[in-house]
Amino acid sequence: MFYRENGQFKGNYSADLALFPIAQDRWAMLAFVAIAFIAVPAFASDYSFRAVLIPFLILSLAALGLNILVGYCGQISLGTGAFMAVGAYAAYNLQVRIPGMPLLLSLLGGGLCATVFGVLFGIPSLRIRGLYLAVATLAAQFFVDWFTNRMKWVTNDSSSGSVSIGKLEMFGYQFDTPVQKYLLCLTIVTVFGLLAKNLVRGAVGREWMAMRDMDVAASVIGIRPVYAKLSAFAVSSFIVGVAGALWGFVHLGAWEPAAFGIDKSFQLLFMIIIGGLGSIAGSFFGAAFIVLLPLLLNYVPHWLGLNLSTATASQLEHMIFGALIVFFLIVEPHGLARLWSTARQKLRLWPFPH
Amino acid sequence: MGFFLETVFGGLMAGMLYALVALGFVLIFKASGVFNFAQGAMVLFAALAMARFSEWIPQWLGFDNRLLTNLLAFAAAVLCMVIVAWLVERLALRRLVNQEGITLLMATLGISYFLDGAGQLLFGSATYKIDVGMPKDPMIVLENTFPGGLLLSQEDLVSALIAALLVATLSLFFQKTRTGRALRAVADDHQAAQSIGIPLARIWVIVWSVGGIVALVAGVIWGSKLGVQFSISLVALKAFPVVILGGLTSVPGAILGGLIIGVGEKLSEIYLGPFVGGGIENWFAYVLALAFLLVRPQGLFGDKIIDRV
């Protein structure tokens, strides 16, 4: 009843094709962004920024990138961690090797390097698909793991193999406190979220979806497979690369190759399966879910007075993740995002059944 | 020359283990079209079960006989794997019939996470020993032909023998028994098999059980060599390039692919590694498989199931 759209008439095509055609959505989204920018920094604690909000934002950015590739273009990838690593290390190298390199440019430069790498490993997708492609992307993962471990110049010849970032500064503005870092991430995520949303509803996005649904039919109606697939790889790995650079620069500050291991790849894949394949909002839902679940598993037994060891907790977490993946694939293949849209559909009619 | 041959033998032995894990994949893929990402987790689960049962059974029953203990533990572990197979069919596969390959792949990823967690929760997550009485001493052969002779590990030889025996048993089972014929029929065509009255659900349980038993054998061999711990489940990541190389549906392909990758890995590490900084074992198999994919997408002996894009 609060979600009724009668009376909202559209006078022209652009109004019909707007990002949020329904006024309630528009206002809700604006309110949401306003809360994220104004209310959250005012009330959240430093701990919640460091442990929850910043990882959530960066991981949802990475999930967004992966969702473009897997959810929208149907090219499964198990090498997301590698693309994040390329972004992070490239950004690091730009930062230390070029004196006076602006932070924003090195973040975007990291993304560009990841794009090149992504397109390179996307080339096999022109010849193979499905399960075989999954293995090909695993190759990217292992290659990057090895490369960042063994090639000394990648880590600027650091003896321990780990790298660390100095001060974060952009336009003469320092990002020291968690709140400032949070706002930096939030801005980038918002911009990328809007760009991605616009991209997937435009011609490029429809090409990707046609490719995903049936590539033979897509090429019959004049979509170039090479262009569609490689552009999906490029856009996806650009976003994932920027997310990787943010993860290293903003969240971790100092990291070693293990930070971008195969576990990260699987984790991101789980995010988009649980959140919703082929949905921008789903990437955020999935990231929130996966960031919050371990915390929940830590706190709930504590409240109930049970004492779980950390090992048991992490094993339980594994089991719950695994079970949830299967559950979602069986019950709701479109993930939390679909649950949300079903709820919205119901709200439009509520309280009348039809 | 002697060193080269030693490397090759070492590679062959390692390859035999990869082949064993890959064999589990191929069996399951053939009969149900599922690319089983959980094979590695199954190896870990089975090996953990075997290790812990062989520790617990003497305590429960109060006797100390290694052969009997190991036999009982093996039986118990087999039972565990059958239960896992049944649960997988009941809870996951049955409800995912007719879904795309990618969905099934992701489902097995979930199963793999679940098994990793469940195995360690049930059986503990430390490093355990499996002692099935494998000979540990290395032996030296062909002393006359090469200076210093060839250093071979007896343990490796025995495990290769066990693996060969397993493959022979499996192929007999597939060729000669009624169930084996039913399995092959299902592998060929699900619908046709179903229409002549082969119960698909039961076949899947059998295939996953056989996959579990193969995983158990691989886990026991691997575990008695290096101990049972979490890293065992990573062996499976080696088995992917093996099945890609050999062809997803071919048992001989899995074995030959395993051997090729085992040998190629060791040789490349020793002769190519020093030039690029070493440690290339981790990705060499993948790059080899990837290069092979571009030339011959169906693998060495695989069916031509990939349509050219």
Coordinates of all heavy atoms in Angstrom, one line a residue, chain B residues 2-72:
Chain B
G2 N 70.9 -40.8 -15.1 CA 70.3 -41.4 -14.0 C 69.4 -40.5 -13.3 O 68.3 -40.8 -12.9
F3 N 69.9 -39.3 -13.1 CA 69.1 -38.2 -12.4 C 67.8 -37.9 -13.2 O 66.7 -37.8 -12.6 CB 70.0 -37.0 -12.3 CG 69.2 -35.9 -11.6 CD1 68.9 -35.9 -10.3 CD2 68.9 -34.7 -12.3 CE1 68.2 -34.9 -9.6 CE2 68.2 -33.7 -11.7 CZ 67.9 -33.8 -10.3
F4 N 68.0 -37.9 -14.5 CA 66.8 -37.6 -15.3 C 65.8 -38.7 -15.1 O 64.6 -38.4 -14.9 CB 67.2 -37.5 -16.8 CG 66.1 -37.4 -17.8 CD1 65.5 -36.2 -18.0 CD2 65.7 -38.5 -18.5 CE1 64.5 -36.0 -18.9 CE2 64.6 -38.4 -19.4 CZ 64.0 -37.1 -19.6
L5 N 66.2 -39.9 -15.2 CA 65.3 -41.1 -15.0 C 64.6 -41.0 -13.6 O 63.4 -41.3 -13.5 CB 66.0 -42.4 -15.2 CG 66.2 -42.7 -16.7 CD1 66.9 -44.1 -16.8 CD2 64.8 -42.8 -17.4
E6 N 65.4 -40.7 -12.6 CA 64.9 -40.6 -11.3 C 63.7 -39.6 -11.2 O 62.7 -39.8 -10.6 CB 65.9 -40.2 -10.3 CG 66.5 -41.4 -9.5 CD 67.7 -40.9 -8.6 OE1 67.7 -39.8 -8.2 OE2 68.6 -41.8 -8.5
T7 N 64.0 -38.4 -11.9 CA 63.0 -37.4 -11.9 C 61.7 -37.9 -12.6 O 60.6 -37.7 -12.1 CB 63.5 -36.2 -12.7 OG1 64.8 -35.9 -12.3 CG2 62.7 -35.0 -12.5
V8 N 61.9 -38.6 -13.7 CA 60.8 -39.1 -14.4 C 60.0 -40.1 -13.6 O 58.8 -40.0 -13.5 CB 61.2 -39.8 -15.7 CG1 60.1 -40.5 -16.4 CG2 61.8 -38.8 -16.7
F9 N 60.7 -41.0 -12.9 CA 60.0 -41.9 -12.0 C 59.2 -41.2 -10.9 O 58.1 -41.5 -10.6 CB 61.0 -42.9 -11.4 CG 61.2 -44.1 -12.3 CD1 62.5 -44.4 -12.8 CD2 60.2 -44.9 -12.8 CE1 62.7 -45.4 -13.7 CE2 60.4 -45.9 -13.6 CZ 61.7 -46.2 -14.1
G10 N 59.9 -40.2 -10.3 CA 59.3 -39.4 -9.2 C 58.0 -38.8 -9.8 O 56.9 -38.8 -9.1
G11 N 58.1 -38.3 -11.0 CA 56.9 -37.6 -11.6 C 55.8 -38.6 -11.9 O 54.7 -38.4 -11.6
L12 N 56.2 -39.8 -12.3 CA 55.2 -40.9 -12.6 C 54.4 -41.2 -11.4 O 53.2 -41.4 -11.4 CB 55.9 -42.1 -13.2 CG 56.3 -42.0 -14.7 CD1 57.0 -43.3 -15.1 CD2 55.1 -41.8 -15.5
M13 N 55.2 -41.3 -10.2 CA 54.5 -41.7 -9.0 C 53.6 -40.6 -8.5 O 52.4 -40.9 -8.1 CB 55.6 -42.0 -7.9 CG 56.5 -43.1 -8.2 SD 55.6 -44.6 -8.7 CE 56.8 -45.5 -9.5
A14 N 54.0 -39.4 -8.6 CA 53.2 -38.3 -8.2 C 52.0 -38.2 -9.1 O 50.8 -38.0 -8.7 CB 53.9 -36.9 -8.2
G15 N 52.2 -38.5 -10.4 CA 51.2 -38.5 -11.4 C 50.1 -39.5 -11.2 O 48.9 -39.3 -11.4
M16 N 50.6 -40.7 -10.6 CA 49.6 -41.8 -10.3 C 48.6 -41.3 -9.3 O 47.4 -41.6 -9.4 CB 50.5 -42.9 -9.7 CG 49.9 -44.3 -9.9 SD 49.8 -44.7 -11.7 CE 48.2 -45.5 -11.7
L17 N 49.1 -40.5 -8.3 CA 48.1 -40.0 -7.3 C 47.2 -39.0 -7.9 O 46.0 -39.0 -7.6 CB 48.9 -39.4 -6.2 CG 49.4 -40.4 -5.2 CD1 50.3 -39.8 -4.2 CD2 48.2 -41.1 -4.5
Y18 N 47.7 -38.1 -8.8 CA 46.8 -37.1 -9.4 C 45.8 -37.9 -10.2 O 44.6 -37.6 -10.2 CB 47.6 -36.2 -10.4 CG 48.6 -35.3 -9.8 CD1 49.7 -34.9 -10.5 CD2 48.5 -34.9 -8.5 CE1 50.7 -34.1 -9.9 CE2 49.5 -34.2 -7.9 CZ 50.6 -33.7 -8.6 OH 51.5 -32.9 -8.1
A19 N 46.3 -38.9 -10.9 CA 45.4 -39.7 -11.7 C 44.2 -40.3 -10.9 O 43.1 -40.4 -11.3 CB 46.1 -40.8 -12.5
L20 N 44.6 -40.8 -9.7 CA 43.6 -41.4 -8.8 C 42.5 -40.4 -8.5 O 41.3 -40.7 -8.5 CB 44.2 -41.9 -7.5 CG 44.7 -43.3 -7.5 CD1 45.1 -43.7 -6.1 CD2 43.5 -44.2 -7.9
V21 N 42.9 -39.2 -8.1 CA 41.9 -38.2 -7.8 C 41.1 -37.8 -9.1 O 39.9 -37.7 -9.0 CB 42.6 -36.9 -7.2 CG1 41.5 -35.9 -6.9 CG2 43.4 -37.3 -6.0
A22 N 41.8 -37.7 -10.2 CA 41.1 -37.4 -11.4 C 40.1 -38.5 -11.8 O 39.1 -38.2 -12.4 CB 42.2 -37.2 -12.5
L23 N 40.5 -39.7 -11.5 CA 39.6 -40.9 -11.8 C 38.2 -40.7 -11.1 O 37.2 -40.9 -11.8 CB 40.3 -42.1 -11.3 CG 39.7 -43.4 -11.8 CD1 39.9 -43.5 -13.2 CD2 40.4 -44.6 -11.1
G24 N 38.3 -40.2 -9.9 CA 37.0 -40.0 -9.2 C 36.2 -39.0 -9.9 O 35.0 -39.2 -10.2
F25 N 36.8 -37.9 -10.4 CA 36.1 -36.9 -11.2 C 35.4 -37.5 -12.4 O 34.3 -37.3 -12.7 CB 37.1 -36.0 -11.9 CG 37.5 -34.8 -11.1 CD1 38.8 -34.6 -10.7 CD2 36.5 -33.8 -10.8 CE1 39.1 -33.5 -9.9 CE2 36.9 -32.7 -10.1 CZ 38.2 -32.6 -9.6
V26 N 36.3 -38.3 -13.2 CA 35.8 -38.8 -14.5 C 34.6 -39.7 -14.3 O 33.6 -39.6 -15.0 CB 37.0 -39.5 -15.2 CG1 36.5 -40.2 -16.4 CG2 38.0 -38.5 -15.6
L27 N 34.7 -40.5 -13.2 CA 33.6 -41.4 -13.0 C 32.3 -40.7 -12.8 O 31.3 -41.0 -13.4 CB 33.9 -42.3 -11.7 CG 35.0 -43.3 -11.9 CD1 35.3 -44.0 -10.6 CD2 34.6 -44.3 -13.0
I28 N 32.4 -39.7 -11.9 CA 31.2 -38.9 -11.6 C 30.7 -38.1 -12.8 O 29.5 -38.0 -13.1 CB 31.5 -38.0 -10.3 CG1 31.5 -38.9 -9.1 CG2 30.4 -37.0 -10.2 CD1 32.0 -38.2 -7.9
F29 N 31.7 -37.5 -13.5 CA 31.3 -36.7 -14.7 C 30.6 -37.6 -15.7 O 29.6 -37.2 -16.3 CB 32.5 -36.0 -15.3 CG 32.1 -35.0 -16.3 CD1 31.6 -33.7 -16.0 CD2 32.1 -35.4 -17.7 CE1 31.2 -32.8 -16.9 CE2 31.7 -34.5 -18.6 CZ 31.2 -33.2 -18.3
K30 N 31.2 -38.8 -15.9 CA 30.6 -39.7 -16.9 C 29.2 -40.0 -16.6 O 28.3 -40.0 -17.5 CB 31.4 -41.0 -17.0 CG 32.4 -41.1 -18.1 CD 33.3 -42.3 -17.9 CE 32.7 -43.5 -18.7 NZ 33.2 -43.6 -20.0
A31 N 28.9 -40.4 -15.4 CA 27.6 -40.9 -15.1 C 26.6 -39.8 -14.8 O 25.4 -40.1 -14.9 CB 27.7 -41.9 -14.0
S32 N 27.0 -38.7 -14.3 CA 26.0 -37.7 -13.9 C 26.2 -36.4 -14.5 O 25.4 -35.5 -14.3 CB 25.9 -37.6 -12.4 OG 27.1 -37.3 -11.9
G33 N 27.2 -36.2 -15.3 CA 27.4 -34.9 -15.9 C 27.8 -33.8 -15.0 O 27.7 -32.6 -15.3
V34 N 28.2 -34.2 -13.8 CA 28.5 -33.2 -12.8 C 30.0 -33.0 -12.7 O 30.7 -34.0 -12.5 CB 28.0 -33.6 -11.4 CG1 28.4 -32.5 -10.4 CG2 26.5 -33.7 -11.4
F35 N 30.5 -31.8 -12.9 CA 31.9 -31.6 -12.7 C 32.2 -31.4 -11.2 O 31.9 -30.4 -10.6 CB 32.3 -30.3 -13.5 CG 33.8 -30.1 -13.6 CD1 34.5 -30.6 -14.6 CD2 34.5 -29.4 -12.6 CE1 35.9 -30.4 -14.8 CE2 35.9 -29.2 -12.7 CZ 36.5 -29.7 -13.8
N36 N 32.7 -32.5 -10.6 CA 32.7 -32.5 -9.2 C 33.8 -31.8 -8.5 O 34.9 -32.4 -8.3 CB 32.7 -34.0 -8.7 CG 32.6 -34.1 -7.2 OD1 32.3 -33.2 -6.6 ND2 33.0 -35.3 -6.8
F37 N 33.6 -30.6 -8.1 CA 34.6 -29.8 -7.5 C 34.9 -30.3 -6.1 O 36.0 -30.0 -5.5 CB 34.1 -28.3 -7.4 CG 35.2 -27.3 -7.6 CD1 35.4 -26.8 -8.8 CD2 36.0 -27.0 -6.5 CE1 36.4 -25.8 -9.0 CE2 37.0 -26.1 -6.7 CZ 37.2 -25.5 -8.0
A38 N 34.0 -31.1 -5.6 CA 34.2 -31.6 -4.2 C 35.1 -32.8 -4.1 O 35.3 -33.3 -3.0 CB 32.8 -31.9 -3.6
Q39 N 35.7 -33.3 -5.2 CA 36.5 -34.5 -5.1 C 37.6 -34.3 -4.1 O 37.9 -35.2 -3.3 CB 37.1 -34.8 -6.5 CG 37.7 -36.1 -6.6 CD 36.7 -37.3 -6.5 OE1 35.6 -37.1 -6.9 NE2 37.2 -38.4 -6.1
G40 N 38.3 -33.1 -4.1 CA 39.3 -32.9 -3.1 C 38.9 -33.0 -1.7 O 39.5 -33.6 -0.8
A41 N 37.7 -32.4 -1.5 CA 37.1 -32.4 -0.1 C 36.8 -33.8 0.3 O 36.9 -34.3 1.4 CB 35.9 -31.5 0.0
M42 N 36.4 -34.6 -0.8 CA 36.1 -36.0 -0.5 C 37.3 -36.8 -0.1 O 37.3 -37.7 0.8 CB 35.4 -36.7 -1.7 CG 33.9 -36.4 -1.8 SD 33.2 -36.7 -3.4 CE 33.2 -38.4 -3.5
V43 N 38.4 -36.5 -0.8 CA 39.7 -37.1 -0.4 C 40.0 -36.8 1.0 O 40.4 -37.7 1.8 CB 40.8 -36.7 -1.4 CG1 42.1 -37.2 -0.9 CG2 40.5 -37.1 -2.8
L44 N 39.9 -35.5 1.4 CA 40.2 -35.1 2.7 C 39.3 -35.8 3.7 O 39.8 -36.4 4.7 CB 40.1 -33.6 2.9 CG 40.3 -33.1 4.3 CD1 41.7 -33.2 4.7 CD2 39.9 -31.6 4.4
F45 N 38.0 -35.8 3.4 CA 37.0 -36.4 4.3 C 37.3 -37.9 4.5 O 37.4 -38.4 5.7 CB 35.6 -36.2 3.7 CG 34.5 -36.5 4.7 CD1 34.0 -35.5 5.5 CD2 34.0 -37.8 4.7 CE1 33.0 -35.8 6.4 CE2 32.9 -38.1 5.6 CZ 32.4 -37.1 6.4
A46 N 37.6 -38.6 3.4 CA 37.8 -40.0 3.5 C 39.1 -40.3 4.3 O 39.1 -41.2 5.1 CB 37.9 -40.6 2.1
A47 N 40.1 -39.5 4.0 CA 41.4 -39.8 4.6 C 41.3 -39.5 6.1 O 41.8 -40.2 7.0 CB 42.5 -38.9 4.0
L48 N 40.6 -38.4 6.5 CA 40.4 -38.1 7.9 C 39.6 -39.2 8.6 O 40.0 -39.7 9.7 CB 39.6 -36.8 8.1 CG 40.4 -35.5 8.0 CD1 39.4 -34.3 8.1 CD2 41.4 -35.4 9.2
A49 N 38.6 -39.7 7.9 CA 37.8 -40.8 8.5 C 38.7 -42.0 8.7 O 38.7 -42.6 9.8 CB 36.6 -41.1 7.6
M50 N 39.4 -42.4 7.7 CA 40.3 -43.6 7.8 C 41.3 -43.4 9.0 O 41.5 -44.2 9.8 CB 41.0 -43.7 6.5 CG 42.1 -44.7 6.5 SD 41.5 -46.4 6.3 CE 42.9 -47.4 6.5
A51 N 41.9 -42.2 9.0 CA 43.0 -42.0 10.1 C 42.4 -42.0 11.5 O 42.9 -42.7 12.4 CB 43.6 -40.6 9.8
R52 N 41.2 -41.4 11.6 CA 40.7 -41.4 13.0 C 40.0 -42.7 13.4 O 40.2 -43.1 14.5 CB 39.6 -40.3 13.1 CG 40.1 -38.9 13.0 CD 41.5 -38.7 13.7 NE 41.5 -38.8 15.1 CZ 41.2 -37.8 16.0 NH1 40.8 -36.6 15.5 NH2 41.2 -38.0 17.3
F53 N 39.4 -43.4 12.4 CA 38.8 -44.7 12.8 C 39.9 -45.7 13.2 O 39.8 -46.5 14.1 CB 38.0 -45.2 11.6 CG 36.6 -44.7 11.6 CD1 36.1 -44.1 10.4 CD2 35.8 -44.7 12.7 CE1 34.8 -43.5 10.4 CE2 34.5 -44.1 12.7 CZ 34.1 -43.5 11.5
S54 N 41.1 -45.6 12.4 CA 42.1 -46.5 12.8 C 42.7 -46.2 14.1 O 43.4 -47.0 14.7 CB 43.2 -46.5 11.7 OG 43.9 -45.3 11.7
E55 N 42.4 -45.0 14.6 CA 42.9 -44.6 16.0 C 41.9 -45.0 17.0 O 42.2 -45.5 18.1 CB 43.1 -43.1 16.0 CG 44.0 -42.6 17.0 CD 44.1 -41.1 16.9 OE1 44.5 -40.6 15.8 OE2 43.9 -40.4 17.9
W56 N 40.6 -44.8 16.6 CA 39.5 -45.0 17.6 C 39.1 -46.5 17.8 O 38.8 -46.9 18.8 CB 38.3 -44.3 17.1 CG 38.4 -42.8 17.3 CD1 39.2 -42.1 18.1 CD2 37.7 -41.8 16.6 NE1 39.1 -40.8 18.0 CE2 38.1 -40.6 17.0 CE3 36.7 -41.8 15.6 CZ2 37.6 -39.4 16.5 CZ3 36.2 -40.6 15.1 CH2 36.7 -39.4 15.6
I57 N 39.2 -47.3 16.6 CA 38.7 -48.6 16.7 C 39.4 -49.5 17.8 O 38.8 -50.2 18.5 CB 38.7 -49.3 15.3 CG1 37.5 -48.7 14.5 CG2 38.6 -50.8 15.4 CD1 37.4 -49.2 13.1
P58 N 40.7 -49.4 17.8 CA 41.4 -50.2 18.9 C 40.9 -49.7 20.3 O 40.8 -50.6 21.2 CB 42.9 -49.9 18.7 CG 43.0 -49.4 17.3 CD 41.7 -48.8 17.0
Q59 N 40.7 -48.4 20.5 CA 40.2 -48.0 21.8 C 38.8 -48.5 22.1 O 38.6 -48.9 23.2 CB 40.2 -46.4 21.8 CG 41.5 -45.8 21.8 CD 41.5 -44.3 21.6 OE1 40.4 -43.7 21.6 NE2 42.6 -43.7 21.3
W60 N 37.9 -48.5 21.1 CA 36.6 -49.0 21.3 C 36.5 -50.5 21.6 O 35.9 -50.9 22.4 CB 35.7 -48.6 20.1 CG 35.4 -47.2 19.9 CD1 35.5 -46.2 20.9 CD2 35.0 -46.5 18.7 NE1 35.2 -45.0 20.3 CE2 34.9 -45.2 19.0 CE3 34.8 -47.0 17.4 CZ2 34.5 -44.2 18.1 CZ3 34.4 -46.0 16.5 CH2 34.3 -44.7 16.8
L61 N 37.3 -51.2 20.7 CA 37.1 -52.6 20.8 C 38.2 -53.3 21.6 O 38.1 -54.5 22.0 CB 37.2 -53.2 19.3 CG 36.1 -52.7 18.4 CD1 36.2 -53.3 17.0 CD2 34.7 -52.9 18.9
G62 N 39.2 -52.5 22.0 CA 40.2 -53.0 22.9 C 41.1 -54.1 22.3 O 41.3 -55.1 23.0
F63 N 41.6 -54.0 21.1 CA 42.6 -54.9 20.7 C 43.7 -54.2 19.9 O 43.5 -53.0 19.6 CB 42.0 -56.0 19.8 CG 41.3 -55.5 18.5 CD1 42.1 -55.3 17.4 CD2 40.0 -55.4 18.5 CE1 41.4 -54.8 16.3 CE2 39.3 -54.9 17.4 CZ 40.1 -54.6 16.3
D64 N 44.7 -54.8 19.6 CA 45.8 -54.1 18.9 C 46.4 -54.9 17.8 O 47.4 -55.7 18.0 CB 46.9 -53.7 20.0 CG 47.8 -52.7 19.4 OD1 47.4 -52.0 18.5 OD2 48.9 -52.5 19.9
N65 N 45.7 -54.9 16.7 CA 46.2 -55.6 15.5 C 46.1 -54.7 14.3 O 45.1 -54.3 14.0 CB 45.3 -56.9 15.3 CG 45.8 -57.7 14.1 OD1 46.4 -57.1 13.2 ND2 45.5 -59.0 14.1
R66 N 47.3 -54.4 13.8 CA 47.3 -53.3 12.8 C 46.5 -53.7 11.6 O 45.7 -52.9 11.0 CB 48.7 -53.0 12.4 CG 48.8 -51.6 11.7 CD 50.2 -51.2 11.4 NE 50.8 -52.0 10.4 CZ 52.0 -52.0 10.1 NH1 52.8 -51.2 10.7 NH2 52.5 -52.8 9.2
L67 N 46.6 -54.9 11.1 CA 45.9 -55.3 9.9 C 44.4 -55.2 10.1 O 43.7 -54.6 9.3 CB 46.3 -56.8 9.5 CG 45.7 -57.2 8.2 CD1 46.3 -56.5 7.0 CD2 45.9 -58.7 8.0
L68 N 44.0 -55.9 11.2 CA 42.5 -55.9 11.4 C 42.0 -54.5 11.7 O 40.9 -54.1 11.1 CB 42.3 -56.7 12.7 CG 40.8 -57.2 12.9 CD1 40.4 -58.0 11.7 CD2 40.7 -58.0 14.1
T69 N 42.8 -53.7 12.4 CA 42.4 -52.3 12.6 C 42.2 -51.5 11.3 O 41.2 -50.9 11.1 CB 43.4 -51.6 13.5 OG1 43.7 -52.3 14.6 CG2 43.0 -50.2 13.9
N70 N 43.2 -51.7 10.5 CA 43.1 -51.0 9.2 C 42.0 -51.4 8.4 O 41.3 -50.6 7.7 CB 44.5 -51.1 8.5 CG 45.5 -50.1 8.9 OD1 45.1 -49.0 9.3 ND2 46.7 -50.5 9.0
L71 N 41.8 -52.7 8.4 CA 40.6 -53.2 7.6 C 39.3 -52.7 8.1 O 38.5 -52.2 7.3 CB 40.6 -54.8 7.6 CG 41.5 -55.5 6.7 CD1 41.4 -57.0 6.8 CD2 41.2 -55.1 5.2
L72 N 39.1 -52.7 9.4 CA 37.9 -52.2 10.0 C 37.8 -50.7 9.7 O 36.7 -50.2 9.3 CB 37.9 -52.5 11.5 CG 37.5 -53.9 11.9 CD1 37.6 -54.0 13.4 CD2 36.1 -54.2 11.4

